[in-house]
Amino acid sequence: MTNGTATTTGLDARLEAHRVELTGYCYRMLGSSFDAEDAVQDTMVRAWRSFDKFEGRSSLRSWLYRIATNVCLDMLTAGNKRARPMDLTESTPLARAALSPRPDHTWLEPMPDSRMLPETADPAEAAVAKESVRLAFMAALQQLPPKQRAVLVLREVLAWRASEVAELLGTSVASVNSALQRARATLAEGRQPGAEASVSDPLDEEQQKLLERYVAAFEGYDMSALTALLHEDAIMTMPPFDLWLTGTGDITGFMTTLGSACAGSRLLPVQVNGLPGFAQYKPDPESGGFVPWAVQVLEISDGRITGFHCFLDTQRWFPLFGLPLHLEAESDEVEQGA
């Protein structure tokens, strides 16, 4: 019994060592943080149950990726594509702004870096990994057929050889190369808003100062200061609402009208989708302190904020990021788990 328990524990540890990178892979495939974690859990269960059939002809990692790929392809058979508001509708002028929600399964979801980006000592590898989970790239991936998506991620992001991908997918090297070529062409044709975002890792001094100025402007609800930080064509989105705004005038106009309840908010930094972000807490007029309102993801280019994306389903996002669901008014610092 002891030997069996030790073997089981050892297998669990070996499988668990791959969880973060598999979550990143499934997230790129599915566009949903919760679906990705479900897919990885399904992968682990299948691997555990069928481990006695694993003959070691490939590495454990390759075998797990094969299982995860099949799980994701099964989940994608319904044909649903996760999207951002600007992938679905035209920009709305502030004068016609209306908050119309769409179902959760419509939207590309945010994901904490810590849950999907494994630690690496290689700066170049880390940079590629972060770039490949940014919102614009994730939105572009959703436009690809599932198998092209898998080929692109395995070849371009994870640097697998064509022969390895062919073996994983049960196809030929020529088929893999053809799928990769088609996927590259599709991405080149459909340039996504936010694709020009250039955030260094770690943040350089200029970017860090920009974020400090942003926090001061937002928490002070200083629209003049905020305007100075936004690119003139900046985009603001607010899933689950399909409304999106473009330009400093409409963004700050929205914040002082429909969004005026956010005045006096507090921001806590988070690492999300390879980009700087913040957990926004707005004042709680009923019980005091602050309540969750949004996970903000910022896109930066040439010293300005070009994208300002607010994910509002806080009952889902804040626990995912290890964030508390209430801040006391007196609290200046909050420990967080993500």
Side-chain angles (χ1 to χ4, degrees):
M1 189 71 170
T2 304
N3 288 343
T5 303
T7 301
T8 299
T9 303
L11 176 57
D12 287 345
R14 289 176 66 193
L15 296 177
E16 198 63 30
H18 297 280
R19 180 177 292 274
V20 173
E21 66 170 306
L22 286 172
T23 302
Y25 175 62
C26 293
Y27 175 64
R28 294 177 184 98
M29 287 291 292
L30 301 170
S32 161
S33 40
F34 294 103
D35 285 356
E37 296 203 327
D38 287 347
V40 172
Q41 191 57 35
D42 191 1
T43 297
M44 296 297 187
V45 170
R46 292 190 192 190
W48 199 89
R49 287 177 176 168
S50 60
F51 188 73
D52 57 340
K53 299 175 184 175
F54 173 56
E55 298 173 354
R57 286 186 298 227
S58 62
S59 68
L60 177 62
R61 179 173 182 258
S62 297
W63 185 60
L64 288 172
Y65 269 91
R66 178 180 297 173
I67 299 172
T69 300
N70 289 332
V71 170
C72 290
L73 292 177
D74 287 345
M75 293 175 73
L76 289 166
T77 51
N80 56 310
K81 295 179 180 179
R82 298 277 175 162
R84 301 173 300 168
M86 55 276 214
D87 302 323
L88 302 177
T89 65
E90 295 296 321
S91 177
T92 305
L94 178 61
R96 298 206 310 269
L99 297 177
S100 305
R102 296 201 189 192
D104 290 341
H105 62 75
T106 306
W107 304 114
L108 180 64
E109 297 178 346
M111 185 66 142
D113 288 0
S114 60
R115 297 179 86 104
M116 62 172 169
L117 298 177
E119 294 182 6
T120 174
D122 184 344
E125 185 179 315
V128 169
K130 284 197 168 188
E131 288 170 8
S132 70
V133 293
R134 290 181 182 165
L135 296 175
F137 186 78
M138 288 292 301
L141 282 178
Q142 304 306 301
Q143 304 307 311
L144 299 176
K147 284 196 175 179
Q148 284 186 31
R149 203 179 305 176
V151 168
L152 185 87
V153 172
L154 291 166
R155 292 281 286 120
E156 302 274 272
V157 179
L158 301 177
W160 284 40
R161 293 191 298 271
S163 58
E164 294 173 321
V165 178
E167 183 179 354
L168 181 146
L169 295 175
T171 187
S172 66
V173 169
S175 178
V176 166
N177 289 336
S178 176
L180 179 59
Q181 190 173 9
R182 292 196 303 274
R184 285 171 172 166
T186 300
L187 295 191
E189 288 170 7
R191 185 168 177 77
Q192 295 284 329
E196 73 286 346
S198 54
V199 182
S200 61
D201 181 30
L203 296 175
D204 63 31
E205 186 178 358
E206 181 185 353
Q207 291 167 348
Q208 191 61 55
K209 287 181 177 178
L210 174 66
L211 294 180
E212 290 169 2
R213 291 167 62 201
Y214 169 76
V215 170
F218 194 95
E219 291 187 343
Y221 233 56
D222 183 337
M223 294 302 118
S224 294
L226 189 60
T227 296
L229 305 178
L230 295 173
H231 189 278
E232 60 183 9
D233 296 323
I235 288 172
M236 179 181 182
T237 67
M238 293 162 284
F241 302 117
D242 57 14
L243 170 74
W244 63 284
L245 303 166
T246 183
T248 55
D250 278 1
I251 291 173
T252 57
F254 178 89
M255 291 175 67
T256 53
T257 54
L258 292 175
S260 60
C262 290
S265 289
R266 289 194 53 208
L267 301 180
L268 298 181
V270 293
Q271 297 298 314
V272 51
N273 285 83
L275 293 163
F278 295 94
Q280 178 193 345
Y281 292 80
K282 71 175 185 176
D284 182 357
E286 295 182 3
S287 57
F290 300 85
V291 292
W293 183 245
V295 170
Q296 302 179 358
V297 186
L298 303 186
E299 292 166 336
I300 299 171
S301 182
D302 296 328
R304 293 287 184 91
I305 295 168
T306 56
F308 172 49
H309 307 289
C310 304
F311 294 89
L312 304 182
D313 191 352
T314 54
Q315 293 301 311
R316 299 172 80 215
W317 304 132
F318 275 52
L320 184 72
F321 282 79
L323 292 159
L325 294 176
H326 188 266
L327 293 186
E328 297 299 330
E330 300 78 18
S331 175
D332 290 323
E333 294 184 5
V334 177
E335 292 185 5
Q336 60 193 73

PDB file of all heavy atoms in Angstrom, residues 155-191:
ATOM      1  N   ARG A 155       4.172  25.895 -32.720  1.00  0.00           N
ATOM      2  CA  ARG A 155       5.358  26.205 -33.510  1.00  0.00           C
ATOM      3  C   ARG A 155       5.951  27.571 -33.153  1.00  0.00           C
ATOM      4  O   ARG A 155       7.143  27.701 -32.899  1.00  0.00           O
ATOM      5  CB  ARG A 155       5.012  26.174 -35.010  1.00  0.00           C
ATOM      6  CG  ARG A 155       4.684  24.801 -35.548  1.00  0.00           C
ATOM      7  CD  ARG A 155       5.945  23.961 -35.815  1.00  0.00           C
ATOM      8  NE  ARG A 155       6.649  24.413 -37.001  1.00  0.00           N
ATOM      9  CZ  ARG A 155       7.897  24.866 -37.035  1.00  0.00           C
ATOM     10  NH1 ARG A 155       8.604  24.957 -35.920  1.00  0.00           N
ATOM     11  NH2 ARG A 155       8.462  25.227 -38.162  1.00  0.00           N
ATOM     12  N   GLU A 156       5.114  28.610 -33.110  1.00  0.00           N
ATOM     13  CA  GLU A 156       5.614  29.984 -32.978  1.00  0.00           C
ATOM     14  C   GLU A 156       5.844  30.400 -31.524  1.00  0.00           C
ATOM     15  O   GLU A 156       6.756  31.173 -31.250  1.00  0.00           O
ATOM     16  CB  GLU A 156       4.626  30.968 -33.620  1.00  0.00           C
ATOM     17  CG  GLU A 156       4.341  30.693 -35.087  1.00  0.00           C
ATOM     18  CD  GLU A 156       5.364  31.340 -35.999  1.00  0.00           C
ATOM     19  OE1 GLU A 156       5.183  32.505 -36.377  1.00  0.00           O
ATOM     20  OE2 GLU A 156       6.356  30.664 -36.330  1.00  0.00           O
ATOM     21  N   VAL A 157       4.989  29.925 -30.627  1.00  0.00           N
ATOM     22  CA  VAL A 157       5.090  30.346 -29.230  1.00  0.00           C
ATOM     23  C   VAL A 157       5.945  29.367 -28.430  1.00  0.00           C
ATOM     24  O   VAL A 157       6.857  29.766 -27.704  1.00  0.00           O
ATOM     25  CB  VAL A 157       3.689  30.474 -28.596  1.00  0.00           C
ATOM     26  CG1 VAL A 157       3.811  30.878 -27.125  1.00  0.00           C
ATOM     27  CG2 VAL A 157       2.842  31.480 -29.366  1.00  0.00           C
ATOM     28  N   LEU A 158       5.658  28.085 -28.568  1.00  0.00           N
ATOM     29  CA  LEU A 158       6.342  27.079 -27.755  1.00  0.00           C
ATOM     30  C   LEU A 158       7.564  26.492 -28.445  1.00  0.00           C
ATOM     31  O   LEU A 158       8.289  25.697 -27.851  1.00  0.00           O
ATOM     32  CB  LEU A 158       5.357  25.968 -27.384  1.00  0.00           C
ATOM     33  CG  LEU A 158       4.128  26.449 -26.591  1.00  0.00           C
ATOM     34  CD1 LEU A 158       3.168  25.299 -26.342  1.00  0.00           C
ATOM     35  CD2 LEU A 158       4.537  27.084 -25.275  1.00  0.00           C
ATOM     36  N   ALA A 159       7.789  26.886 -29.702  1.00  0.00           N
ATOM     37  CA  ALA A 159       9.000  26.506 -30.452  1.00  0.00           C
ATOM     38  C   ALA A 159       9.151  24.998 -30.622  1.00  0.00           C
ATOM     39  O   ALA A 159      10.258  24.462 -30.574  1.00  0.00           O
ATOM     40  CB  ALA A 159      10.255  27.107 -29.791  1.00  0.00           C
ATOM     41  N   TRP A 160       8.039  24.309 -30.843  1.00  0.00           N
ATOM     42  CA  TRP A 160       8.116  22.893 -31.166  1.00  0.00           C
ATOM     43  C   TRP A 160       8.572  22.744 -32.621  1.00  0.00           C
ATOM     44  O   TRP A 160       8.281  23.587 -33.466  1.00  0.00           O
ATOM     45  CB  TRP A 160       6.746  22.234 -31.009  1.00  0.00           C
ATOM     46  CG  TRP A 160       6.338  21.978 -29.593  1.00  0.00           C
ATOM     47  CD1 TRP A 160       6.538  22.797 -28.515  1.00  0.00           C
ATOM     48  CD2 TRP A 160       5.626  20.836 -29.113  1.00  0.00           C
ATOM     49  NE1 TRP A 160       6.004  22.243 -27.391  1.00  0.00           N
ATOM     50  CE2 TRP A 160       5.434  21.039 -27.719  1.00  0.00           C
ATOM     51  CE3 TRP A 160       5.131  19.684 -29.701  1.00  0.00           C
ATOM     52  CZ2 TRP A 160       4.764  20.111 -26.925  1.00  0.00           C
ATOM     53  CZ3 TRP A 160       4.459  18.760 -28.917  1.00  0.00           C
ATOM     54  CH2 TRP A 160       4.288  18.967 -27.543  1.00  0.00           C
ATOM     55  N   ARG A 161       9.246  21.638 -32.920  1.00  0.00           N
ATOM     56  CA  ARG A 161       9.617  21.338 -34.302  1.00  0.00           C
ATOM     57  C   ARG A 161       8.389  20.850 -35.067  1.00  0.00           C
ATOM     58  O   ARG A 161       7.453  20.289 -34.485  1.00  0.00           O
ATOM     59  CB  ARG A 161      10.704  20.266 -34.337  1.00  0.00           C
ATOM     60  CG  ARG A 161      12.039  20.724 -33.750  1.00  0.00           C
ATOM     61  CD  ARG A 161      13.152  19.731 -34.060  1.00  0.00           C
ATOM     62  NE  ARG A 161      12.885  18.427 -33.457  1.00  0.00           N
ATOM     63  CZ  ARG A 161      13.270  18.089 -32.223  1.00  0.00           C
ATOM     64  NH1 ARG A 161      13.909  18.974 -31.465  1.00  0.00           N
ATOM     65  NH2 ARG A 161      13.002  16.888 -31.756  1.00  0.00           N
ATOM     66  N   ALA A 162       8.405  21.059 -36.376  1.00  0.00           N
ATOM     67  CA  ALA A 162       7.273  20.645 -37.205  1.00  0.00           C
ATOM     68  C   ALA A 162       7.004  19.152 -37.059  1.00  0.00           C
ATOM     69  O   ALA A 162       5.842  18.719 -37.025  1.00  0.00           O
ATOM     70  CB  ALA A 162       7.544  21.001 -38.669  1.00  0.00           C
ATOM     71  N   SER A 163       8.059  18.365 -36.950  1.00  0.00           N
ATOM     72  CA  SER A 163       7.891  16.914 -36.804  1.00  0.00           C
ATOM     73  C   SER A 163       7.192  16.569 -35.494  1.00  0.00           C
ATOM     74  O   SER A 163       6.372  15.640 -35.425  1.00  0.00           O
ATOM     75  CB  SER A 163       9.253  16.211 -36.881  1.00  0.00           C
ATOM     76  OG  SER A 163      10.130  16.704 -35.871  1.00  0.00           O
ATOM     77  N   GLU A 164       7.498  17.324 -34.424  1.00  0.00           N
ATOM     78  CA  GLU A 164       6.857  17.085 -33.132  1.00  0.00           C
ATOM     79  C   GLU A 164       5.373  17.423 -33.188  1.00  0.00           C
ATOM     80  O   GLU A 164       4.528  16.713 -32.640  1.00  0.00           O
ATOM     81  CB  GLU A 164       7.544  17.919 -32.047  1.00  0.00           C
ATOM     82  CG  GLU A 164       8.988  17.526 -31.769  1.00  0.00           C
ATOM     83  CD  GLU A 164       9.689  18.477 -30.828  1.00  0.00           C
ATOM     84  OE1 GLU A 164       9.472  19.702 -30.929  1.00  0.00           O
ATOM     85  OE2 GLU A 164      10.461  17.993 -29.976  1.00  0.00           O
ATOM     86  N   VAL A 165       5.051  18.540 -33.852  1.00  0.00           N
ATOM     87  CA  VAL A 165       3.647  18.945 -33.977  1.00  0.00           C
ATOM     88  C   VAL A 165       2.886  17.943 -34.842  1.00  0.00           C
ATOM     89  O   VAL A 165       1.744  17.586 -34.549  1.00  0.00           O
ATOM     90  CB  VAL A 165       3.541  20.366 -34.575  1.00  0.00           C
ATOM     91  CG1 VAL A 165       2.080  20.769 -34.754  1.00  0.00           C
ATOM     92  CG2 VAL A 165       4.255  21.371 -33.684  1.00  0.00           C
ATOM     93  N   ALA A 166       3.523  17.471 -35.906  1.00  0.00           N
ATOM     94  CA  ALA A 166       2.890  16.479 -36.776  1.00  0.00           C
ATOM     95  C   ALA A 166       2.562  15.210 -35.999  1.00  0.00           C
ATOM     96  O   ALA A 166       1.466  14.635 -36.132  1.00  0.00           O
ATOM     97  CB  ALA A 166       3.803  16.161 -37.961  1.00  0.00           C
ATOM     98  N   GLU A 167       3.497  14.773 -35.165  1.00  0.00           N
ATOM     99  CA  GLU A 167       3.254  13.569 -34.365  1.00  0.00           C
ATOM    100  C   GLU A 167       2.124  13.801 -33.375  1.00  0.00           C
ATOM    101  O   GLU A 167       1.251  12.951 -33.187  1.00  0.00           O
ATOM    102  CB  GLU A 167       4.535  13.179 -33.621  1.00  0.00           C
ATOM    103  CG  GLU A 167       4.392  11.898 -32.811  1.00  0.00           C
ATOM    104  CD  GLU A 167       5.676  11.506 -32.092  1.00  0.00           C
ATOM    105  OE1 GLU A 167       6.710  12.163 -32.300  1.00  0.00           O
ATOM    106  OE2 GLU A 167       5.629  10.533 -31.308  1.00  0.00           O
ATOM    107  N   LEU A 168       2.114  14.976 -32.742  1.00  0.00           N
ATOM    108  CA  LEU A 168       1.076  15.288 -31.768  1.00  0.00           C
ATOM    109  C   LEU A 168      -0.311  15.280 -32.420  1.00  0.00           C
ATOM    110  O   LEU A 168      -1.272  14.754 -31.850  1.00  0.00           O
ATOM    111  CB  LEU A 168       1.351  16.647 -31.121  1.00  0.00           C
ATOM    112  CG  LEU A 168       0.366  17.124 -30.050  1.00  0.00           C
ATOM    113  CD1 LEU A 168       1.086  17.930 -28.981  1.00  0.00           C
ATOM    114  CD2 LEU A 168      -0.753  17.987 -30.647  1.00  0.00           C
ATOM    115  N   LEU A 169      -0.419  15.869 -33.614  1.00  0.00           N
ATOM    116  CA  LEU A 169      -1.710  15.995 -34.294  1.00  0.00           C
ATOM    117  C   LEU A 169      -2.043  14.787 -35.161  1.00  0.00           C
ATOM    118  O   LEU A 169      -3.129  14.729 -35.743  1.00  0.00           O
ATOM    119  CB  LEU A 169      -1.735  17.266 -35.146  1.00  0.00           C
ATOM    120  CG  LEU A 169      -1.664  18.600 -34.389  1.00  0.00           C
ATOM    121  CD1 LEU A 169      -1.566  19.761 -35.365  1.00  0.00           C
ATOM    122  CD2 LEU A 169      -2.886  18.759 -33.485  1.00  0.00           C
ATOM    123  N   GLY A 170      -1.108  13.858 -35.274  1.00  0.00           N
ATOM    124  CA  GLY A 170      -1.348  12.692 -36.104  1.00  0.00           C
ATOM    125  C   GLY A 170      -1.451  13.035 -37.571  1.00  0.00           C
ATOM    126  O   GLY A 170      -2.302  12.505 -38.296  1.00  0.00           O
ATOM    127  N   THR A 171      -0.573  13.924 -38.041  1.00  0.00           N
ATOM    128  CA  THR A 171      -0.612  14.362 -39.433  1.00  0.00           C
ATOM    129  C   THR A 171       0.816  14.427 -39.974  1.00  0.00           C
ATOM    130  O   THR A 171       1.761  13.988 -39.316  1.00  0.00           O
ATOM    131  CB  THR A 171      -1.331  15.720 -39.549  1.00  0.00           C
ATOM    132  OG1 THR A 171      -1.513  16.046 -40.921  1.00  0.00           O
ATOM    133  CG2 THR A 171      -0.542  16.836 -38.864  1.00  0.00           C
ATOM    134  N   SER A 172       0.981  14.985 -41.173  1.00  0.00           N
ATOM    135  CA  SER A 172       2.305  15.044 -41.789  1.00  0.00           C
ATOM    136  C   SER A 172       2.982  16.377 -41.528  1.00  0.00           C
ATOM    137  O   SER A 172       2.327  17.377 -41.211  1.00  0.00           O
ATOM    138  CB  SER A 172       2.175  14.854 -43.305  1.00  0.00           C
ATOM    139  OG  SER A 172       1.478  15.943 -43.879  1.00  0.00           O
ATOM    140  N   VAL A 173       4.304  16.403 -41.693  1.00  0.00           N
ATOM    141  CA  VAL A 173       5.064  17.648 -41.573  1.00  0.00           C
ATOM    142  C   VAL A 173       4.597  18.651 -42.617  1.00  0.00           C
ATOM    143  O   VAL A 173       4.451  19.847 -42.329  1.00  0.00           O
ATOM    144  CB  VAL A 173       6.577  17.370 -41.713  1.00  0.00           C
ATOM    145  CG1 VAL A 173       7.352  18.678 -41.853  1.00  0.00           C
ATOM    146  CG2 VAL A 173       7.092  16.589 -40.506  1.00  0.00           C
ATOM    147  N   ALA A 174       4.321  18.188 -43.826  1.00  0.00           N
ATOM    148  CA  ALA A 174       3.852  19.087 -44.888  1.00  0.00           C
ATOM    149  C   ALA A 174       2.528  19.733 -44.497  1.00  0.00           C
ATOM    150  O   ALA A 174       2.310  20.929 -44.744  1.00  0.00           O
ATOM    151  CB  ALA A 174       3.694  18.314 -46.194  1.00  0.00           C
ATOM    152  N   SER A 175       1.650  18.960 -43.883  1.00  0.00           N
ATOM    153  CA  SER A 175       0.357  19.499 -43.445  1.00  0.00           C
ATOM    154  C   SER A 175       0.541  20.541 -42.350  1.00  0.00           C
ATOM    155  O   SER A 175      -0.130  21.583 -42.354  1.00  0.00           O
ATOM    156  CB  SER A 175      -0.525  18.355 -42.940  1.00  0.00           C
ATOM    157  OG  SER A 175      -1.758  18.850 -42.460  1.00  0.00           O
ATOM    158  N   VAL A 176       1.463  20.283 -41.444  1.00  0.00           N
ATOM    159  CA  VAL A 176       1.753  21.244 -40.370  1.00  0.00           C
ATOM    160  C   VAL A 176       2.305  22.538 -40.951  1.00  0.00           C
ATOM    161  O   VAL A 176       1.871  23.641 -40.586  1.00  0.00           O
ATOM    162  CB  VAL A 176       2.746  20.641 -39.354  1.00  0.00           C
ATOM    163  CG1 VAL A 176       3.316  21.724 -38.433  1.00  0.00           C
ATOM    164  CG2 VAL A 176       2.069  19.556 -38.529  1.00  0.00           C
ATOM    165  N   ASN A 177       3.248  22.429 -41.859  1.00  0.00           N
ATOM    166  CA  ASN A 177       3.838  23.629 -42.475  1.00  0.00           C
ATOM    167  C   ASN A 177       2.806  24.425 -43.263  1.00  0.00           C
ATOM    168  O   ASN A 177       2.809  25.656 -43.245  1.00  0.00           O
ATOM    169  CB  ASN A 177       5.004  23.234 -43.388  1.00  0.00           C
ATOM    170  CG  ASN A 177       6.216  22.757 -42.598  1.00  0.00           C
ATOM    171  OD1 ASN A 177       6.380  23.112 -41.431  1.00  0.00           O
ATOM    172  ND2 ASN A 177       7.060  21.951 -43.219  1.00  0.00           N
ATOM    173  N   SER A 178       1.902  23.718 -43.935  1.00  0.00           N
ATOM    174  CA  SER A 178       0.850  24.398 -44.685  1.00  0.00           C
ATOM    175  C   SER A 178      -0.103  25.126 -43.741  1.00  0.00           C
ATOM    176  O   SER A 178      -0.487  26.278 -43.984  1.00  0.00           O
ATOM    177  CB  SER A 178       0.068  23.378 -45.520  1.00  0.00           C
ATOM    178  OG  SER A 178      -1.015  23.992 -46.175  1.00  0.00           O
ATOM    179  N   ALA A 179      -0.480  24.473 -42.635  1.00  0.00           N
ATOM    180  CA  ALA A 179      -1.371  25.102 -41.651  1.00  0.00           C
ATOM    181  C   ALA A 179      -0.720  26.331 -41.035  1.00  0.00           C
ATOM    182  O   ALA A 179      -1.370  27.363 -40.817  1.00  0.00           O
ATOM    183  CB  ALA A 179      -1.743  24.095 -40.565  1.00  0.00           C
ATOM    184  N   LEU A 180       0.578  26.245 -40.759  1.00  0.00           N
ATOM    185  CA  LEU A 180       1.293  27.379 -40.182  1.00  0.00           C
ATOM    186  C   LEU A 180       1.331  28.551 -41.157  1.00  0.00           C
ATOM    187  O   LEU A 180       1.118  29.707 -40.766  1.00  0.00           O
ATOM    188  CB  LEU A 180       2.715  26.967 -39.805  1.00  0.00           C
ATOM    189  CG  LEU A 180       3.596  28.054 -39.199  1.00  0.00           C
ATOM    190  CD1 LEU A 180       2.986  28.612 -37.918  1.00  0.00           C
ATOM    191  CD2 LEU A 180       4.998  27.514 -38.918  1.00  0.00           C
ATOM    192  N   GLN A 181       1.555  28.259 -42.419  1.00  0.00           N
ATOM    193  CA  GLN A 181       1.595  29.314 -43.439  1.00  0.00           C
ATOM    194  C   GLN A 181       0.240  30.012 -43.539  1.00  0.00           C
ATOM    195  O   GLN A 181       0.163  31.247 -43.620  1.00  0.00           O
ATOM    196  CB  GLN A 181       1.984  28.699 -44.786  1.00  0.00           C
ATOM    197  CG  GLN A 181       2.287  29.721 -45.872  1.00  0.00           C
ATOM    198  CD  GLN A 181       2.827  29.068 -47.141  1.00  0.00           C
ATOM    199  OE1 GLN A 181       2.819  27.842 -47.279  1.00  0.00           O
ATOM    200  NE2 GLN A 181       3.288  29.875 -48.064  1.00  0.00           N
ATOM    201  N   ARG A 182      -0.838  29.235 -43.544  1.00  0.00           N
ATOM    202  CA  ARG A 182      -2.183  29.822 -43.632  1.00  0.00           C
ATOM    203  C   ARG A 182      -2.496  30.653 -42.383  1.00  0.00           C
ATOM    204  O   ARG A 182      -3.091  31.723 -42.471  1.00  0.00           O
ATOM    205  CB  ARG A 182      -3.235  28.731 -43.819  1.00  0.00           C
ATOM    206  CG  ARG A 182      -3.149  28.021 -45.158  1.00  0.00           C
ATOM    207  CD  ARG A 182      -4.425  27.242 -45.474  1.00  0.00           C
ATOM    208  NE  ARG A 182      -4.756  26.270 -44.445  1.00  0.00           N
ATOM    209  CZ  ARG A 182      -4.277  25.037 -44.392  1.00  0.00           C
ATOM    210  NH1 ARG A 182      -3.404  24.619 -45.302  1.00  0.00           N
ATOM    211  NH2 ARG A 182      -4.632  24.208 -43.423  1.00  0.00           N
ATOM    212  N   ALA A 183      -2.083  30.144 -41.228  1.00  0.00           N
ATOM    213  CA  ALA A 183      -2.340  30.879 -39.981  1.00  0.00           C
ATOM    214  C   ALA A 183      -1.592  32.210 -39.973  1.00  0.00           C
ATOM    215  O   ALA A 183      -2.153  33.247 -39.606  1.00  0.00           O
ATOM    216  CB  ALA A 183      -1.918  30.026 -38.786  1.00  0.00           C
ATOM    217  N   ARG A 184      -0.337  32.191 -40.393  1.00  0.00           N
ATOM    218  CA  ARG A 184       0.442  33.434 -40.463  1.00  0.00           C
ATOM    219  C   ARG A 184      -0.212  34.432 -41.404  1.00  0.00           C
ATOM    220  O   ARG A 184      -0.271  35.636 -41.122  1.00  0.00           O
ATOM    221  CB  ARG A 184       1.860  33.134 -40.931  1.00  0.00           C
ATOM    222  CG  ARG A 184       2.767  32.497 -39.887  1.00  0.00           C
ATOM    223  CD  ARG A 184       4.060  32.052 -40.527  1.00  0.00           C
ATOM    224  NE  ARG A 184       5.066  31.588 -39.583  1.00  0.00           N
ATOM    225  CZ  ARG A 184       6.143  30.910 -39.943  1.00  0.00           C
ATOM    226  NH1 ARG A 184       6.363  30.628 -41.236  1.00  0.00           N
ATOM    227  NH2 ARG A 184       7.014  30.521 -39.032  1.00  0.00           N
ATOM    228  N   ALA A 185      -0.696  33.953 -42.546  1.00  0.00           N
ATOM    229  CA  ALA A 185      -1.328  34.837 -43.533  1.00  0.00           C
ATOM    230  C   ALA A 185      -2.592  35.475 -42.956  1.00  0.00           C
ATOM    231  O   ALA A 185      -2.847  36.671 -43.146  1.00  0.00           O
ATOM    232  CB  ALA A 185      -1.658  34.055 -44.803  1.00  0.00           C
ATOM    233  N   THR A 186      -3.378  34.685 -42.238  1.00  0.00           N
ATOM    234  CA  THR A 186      -4.606  35.209 -41.634  1.00  0.00           C
ATOM    235  C   THR A 186      -4.289  36.290 -40.613  1.00  0.00           C
ATOM    236  O   THR A 186      -4.934  37.349 -40.579  1.00  0.00           O
ATOM    237  CB  THR A 186      -5.400  34.076 -40.954  1.00  0.00           C
ATOM    238  OG1 THR A 186      -5.747  33.096 -41.942  1.00  0.00           O
ATOM    239  CG2 THR A 186      -6.677  34.612 -40.311  1.00  0.00           C
ATOM    240  N   LEU A 187      -3.278  36.056 -39.780  1.00  0.00           N
ATOM    241  CA  LEU A 187      -2.903  37.054 -38.770  1.00  0.00           C
ATOM    242  C   LEU A 187      -2.375  38.323 -39.426  1.00  0.00           C
ATOM    243  O   LEU A 187      -2.649  39.430 -38.957  1.00  0.00           O
ATOM    244  CB  LEU A 187      -1.847  36.488 -37.818  1.00  0.00           C
ATOM    245  CG  LEU A 187      -2.253  35.310 -36.932  1.00  0.00           C
ATOM    246  CD1 LEU A 187      -1.192  35.072 -35.871  1.00  0.00           C
ATOM    247  CD2 LEU A 187      -3.597  35.534 -36.278  1.00  0.00           C
ATOM    248  N   ALA A 188      -1.634  38.172 -40.514  1.00  0.00           N
ATOM    249  CA  ALA A 188      -1.080  39.341 -41.200  1.00  0.00           C
ATOM    250  C   ALA A 188      -2.182  40.184 -41.832  1.00  0.00           C
ATOM    251  O   ALA A 188      -2.100  41.414 -41.884  1.00  0.00           O
ATOM    252  CB  ALA A 188      -0.088  38.894 -42.275  1.00  0.00           C
ATOM    253  N   GLU A 189      -3.240  39.537 -42.312  1.00  0.00           N
ATOM    254  CA  GLU A 189      -4.346  40.259 -42.967  1.00  0.00           C
ATOM    255  C   GLU A 189      -5.193  41.033 -41.968  1.00  0.00           C
ATOM    256  O   GLU A 189      -5.646  42.133 -42.252  1.00  0.00           O
ATOM    257  CB  GLU A 189      -5.261  39.265 -43.706  1.00  0.00           C
ATOM    258  CG  GLU A 189      -4.646  38.681 -44.963  1.00  0.00           C
ATOM    259  CD  GLU A 189      -5.483  37.539 -45.507  1.00  0.00           C
ATOM    260  OE1 GLU A 189      -6.594  37.299 -44.973  1.00  0.00           O
ATOM    261  OE2 GLU A 189      -5.022  36.864 -46.447  1.00  0.00           O
ATOM    262  N   GLY A 190      -5.424  40.438 -40.807  1.00  0.00           N
ATOM    263  CA  GLY A 190      -6.360  41.038 -39.850  1.00  0.00           C
ATOM    264  C   GLY A 190      -5.664  41.683 -38.684  1.00  0.00           C
ATOM    265  O   GLY A 190      -5.701  41.160 -37.578  1.00  0.00           O
ATOM    266  N   ARG A 191      -5.010  42.802 -38.901  1.00  0.00           N
ATOM    267  CA  ARG A 191      -4.299  43.484 -37.809  1.00  0.00           C
ATOM    268  C   ARG A 191      -5.298  43.919 -36.748  1.00  0.00           C
ATOM    269  O   ARG A 191      -6.288  44.594 -37.029  1.00  0.00           O
ATOM    270  CB  ARG A 191      -3.536  44.694 -38.359  1.00  0.00           C
ATOM    271  CG  ARG A 191      -2.675  45.379 -37.290  1.00  0.00           C
ATOM    272  CD  ARG A 191      -1.717  46.375 -37.926  1.00  0.00           C
ATOM    273  NE  ARG A 191      -0.941  47.080 -36.938  1.00  0.00           N
ATOM    274  CZ  ARG A 191       0.111  46.569 -36.295  1.00  0.00           C
ATOM    275  NH1 ARG A 191       0.483  45.337 -36.549  1.00  0.00           N
ATOM    276  NH2 ARG A 191       0.771  47.275 -35.410  1.00  0.00           N
TER     277      ARG A 191
END
